[in-house]
Amino acid sequence: MNRLIRAGLMFGNLFHVHSPALVERYNRALLHLTGKRTELTDFYIDISGYSPEVGDELGDPLYLNHKGVNRQFILLSVEQRTAPLLNTKFSTSKTILQDFIGQNEAALFALTAKDAVAGELVNSVYDVSTAARLFDIRRITVDADTTGGTVKDAAKLAEMVDNFRESESGWYDDVLIAQMIDLAGKTGDVVRNPVSLKAMSFDQRNFWTAHFGGLYVFQDVAHPAVIAPAGKDGLDDLPLKYVFDASQRNNIAQFFQLNGLTQTILEARGIKSAAILRQKMDFILIDAVADQGVDLTGLTRADLRRLAREHSDILPPEFHTLGQLVNWAENGGAFPNVDSSSPVYFYTLRAADTPDAPLVNMLLAELAPKDIRQLFICHKDLFYATYAGWPDAKRAYVADFLEREYKVDKAGVRDALFGHEPALEVPPLPRKGKKPPPVPQRIAPVGPWGKAKRR
């Protein structure tokens, strides 16, 4: 993992806590939330205030996320908004924290100038000892205040000010005036500079959770289901009728199709589909030859073609099928027969333009794990776990590729792969004046892959 850390691909963009003032504020918040303190004077925190170093010191990687639910957070600066979320247990947590910081940026900027803001992502569930409890999590509410209770005191002071103004005897109420003066010393002038945080709640109906081996829960769709790639053990009590594991490829494909959650890369608008498929071929090639003693440093396009020729006997079927699709898109070659039973099927899909696109791309990354770029972008926890088991040659290649091709323009790469543009892409023409090949008529009504087969 040191290679990833040095390249800024792991623990990157964390917020540095190094000044005595910040450390003391962090400790006040930590004591307020957990009853613990850290003796460290220099450490890094993620968007939620979690620090790997503090976790090691306390011997508890979930010190801000007890039992993996109701995540607590510590905000020292609005700069934490751009930091990653480590030890993710629910896919919605980072988005909720980003939205909360964004919607309250001015107030948080003022509050964190003097104190830490501590809070919790609250729901009605305090443990998920059974998978069925996940379905009791319907709404997440953000509860936050400074460790000194500034927001609460400011609300109380604002109420006192209103009472003072509305009461005819306000000027004669010495007790009320004394209380207002005392609170104003803590909160400042709330009349001219109101101090408040917006009350924010978020629905949590479609989400991924790390619990029970990793589950994708889709409740708010026309045809609900749970996708459990790791297996369905311990999931007998779920309130949804359909639960599919990774072996039920056809059922998952049908679920995507019925809910309109995916589209084929070749039919997606505004992207260079053939180039994306060719890059997926490269990743599959590297995966196949990584343990063959091949030098994978500084590979050119010619080097990749040479490796494909020399090791054609060990290349998996998905490599050859993707090659046929690229040939069809660029040169009008024969269109391959692809359905959900094919190993390449999920490599040819991406999320459609829906609110759940990030969740769907995360699931597709797990169903097509040899696409290391999508795996890193969409499912970092699984990427890190998988990376640890790769041959060193592949680890070196992947780290170098991501540093060169992704890190330099993260937003551009994400937009190129997953963005949705109004303009329809026209595949490159092999010869001037020649029209691009149409989708074969026999399968055009249901898309280029045909209908998902029924069991």
Side-chain angles (χ1 to χ4, degrees):
M1 295 299 180
N2 289 333
R3 186 183 282 120
L4 293 178
I5 296 173
R6 288 194 300 269
L9 299 169
M10 187 176 187
F11 300 143
N13 210 31
L14 295 175
F15 182 78
H16 193 190
V17 181
H18 57 90
S19 71
L22 287 179
V23 172
E24 178 55 31
R25 291 174 196 171
Y26 187 87
N27 264 326
R28 287 203 304 268
L30 188 60
L31 186 65
H32 174 74
L33 292 175
T34 68
K36 302 174 182 178
R37 292 178 61 90
T38 175
E39 299 300 322
L40 300 178
T41 59
D42 189 306
F43 52 91
Y44 291 84
I45 59 176
D46 69 1
I47 186 174
S48 73
Y50 167 75
S51 169
E53 297 102 319
V54 174
D56 287 342
E57 178 196 21
L58 300 178
D60 182 8
L62 296 178
Y63 70 91
L64 286 181
N65 196 16
H66 185 62
K67 294 187 177 180
V69 292
N70 292 311
R71 186 156 194 148
Q72 297 172 306
F73 60 88
I74 298 172
L75 298 180
L76 299 179
S77 168
V78 293
E79 293 179 23
Q80 286 174 238
R81 186 184 184 190
T82 61
L85 179 65
L86 306 178
N87 285 351
T88 306
K89 295 299 181 183
F90 289 92
S91 60
T92 53
S93 298
K94 183 180 180 181
T95 302
I96 291 174
L97 288 169
Q98 287 177 327
D99 288 351
F100 174 73
I101 296 172
Q103 291 292 318
N104 293 281
E105 185 169 4
L108 289 171
F109 183 83
L111 292 170
T112 56
K114 296 182 178 180
D115 200 355
V117 172
E120 186 175 355
L121 305 185
V122 182
N123 64 70
S124 59
V125 175
Y126 295 94
D127 77 272
V128 285
S129 52
T130 64
R133 295 301 305 277
L134 293 169
F135 292 82
D136 295 330
I137 303 174
R138 296 180 174 272
R139 196 162 184 80
I140 307 297
T141 301
V142 182
D143 181 25
D145 200 345
T146 64
T147 56
T150 303
V151 175
K152 181 180 178 181
D153 287 342
K156 185 177 180 180
L157 177 57
E159 184 180 353
M160 288 180 174
V161 171
D162 290 340
N163 291 337
F164 176 82
R165 287 173 169 175
E166 294 171 1
S167 174
E168 294 181 359
S169 60
W171 284 104
Y172 306 101
D173 192 336
D174 294 338
V175 174
L176 177 61
I177 293 174
Q179 290 175 338
M180 288 194 298
I181 293 173
D182 182 58
L183 280 180
K186 300 177 182 178
T187 66
D189 187 348
V190 297
V191 176
R192 295 184 179 182
N193 302 294
V195 180
S196 63
L197 296 172
K198 294 180 181 178
M200 301 183 69
S201 295
F202 303 82
D203 288 329
Q204 181 161 295
R205 303 288 289 157
N206 299 340
F207 59 90
W208 169 86
T209 176
H211 296 284
F212 303 98
L215 302 178
Y216 297 82
V217 179
F218 292 89
Q219 302 174 82
D220 192 19
V221 292
H223 302 274
V226 171
I227 313 298
K232 296 186 283 188
D233 291 344
L235 305 181
D236 298 332
D237 59 343
L238 295 187
L240 289 186
K241 179 179 179 180
Y242 297 106
V243 181
F244 306 127
D245 61 31
S247 67
Q248 297 173 282
R249 298 172 58 85
N250 178 66
N251 299 89
I252 297 174
Q254 197 169 30
F255 164 78
F256 283 150
Q257 186 183 62
L258 290 173
N259 291 296
L261 294 175
T262 57
Q263 61 183 187
T264 65
I265 292 174
L266 283 173
E267 288 189 325
R269 297 184 176 188
I271 66 170
K272 298 179 180 179
S273 54
I276 292 174
L277 293 178
R278 189 180 294 281
Q279 190 72 73
K280 291 174 183 283
M281 292 176 62
D282 294 343
F283 299 146
I284 294 171
L285 170 63
I286 294 300
D287 179 75
V289 304
D291 58 355
Q292 301 295 311
V294 177
D295 184 7
L296 301 179
T297 57
L299 294 178
T300 64
R301 176 57 53 190
D303 293 331
L304 290 168
R305 290 196 298 268
R306 174 181 54 79
L307 286 176
R309 290 193 300 270
E310 293 176 353
H311 300 276
S312 60
D313 57 325
I314 63 172
L315 295 179
E318 50 263 46
F319 178 88
H320 301 292
T321 307
L322 284 176
Q324 291 175 310
L325 287 171
V326 171
N327 186 44
W328 174 83
E330 294 183 338
N331 306 310
F335 192 88
N337 181 28
V338 180
D339 61 26
S340 57
S341 66
S342 172
V344 80
Y345 180 76
F346 292 115
Y347 287 92
T348 64
L349 299 180
R350 72 171 198 162
D353 189 10
T354 71
D356 294 311
L359 181 62
V360 174
N361 280 325
M362 184 180 186
L363 173 53
L364 287 172
E366 187 160 357
L367 296 172
K370 294 178 184 178
D371 185 346
I372 51 94
R373 178 172 53 186
Q374 180 161 336
L375 189 63
F376 178 78
I377 294 173
C378 301
H379 202 332
K380 281 188 173 57
D381 288 342
L382 181 59
F383 173 86
Y384 295 137
T386 309
Y387 175 94
W390 287 337
D392 189 65
K394 182 175 179 179
R395 291 200 296 264
Y397 171 86
V398 170
D400 178 67
F401 173 84
L402 291 173
E403 186 176 15
R404 286 184 298 103
E405 303 291 336
Y406 172 66
K407 187 182 173 184
V408 294
D409 184 17
K410 297 179 181 180
V413 173
R414 287 172 180 267
D415 187 62
L417 294 174
F418 311 119
H420 295 90
E421 300 291 339
L424 179 62
E425 178 205 5
V426 178
L429 301 180
R431 293 191 301 272
K432 185 176 181 180
K434 184 176 179 181
K435 295 181 179 180
V439 176
Q441 287 300 312
R442 68 182 183 277
I443 53 179
V446 290
W449 318 133
K451 286 185 177 180
K453 295 179 180 179
R454 294 182 181 275
R455 287 185 179 273

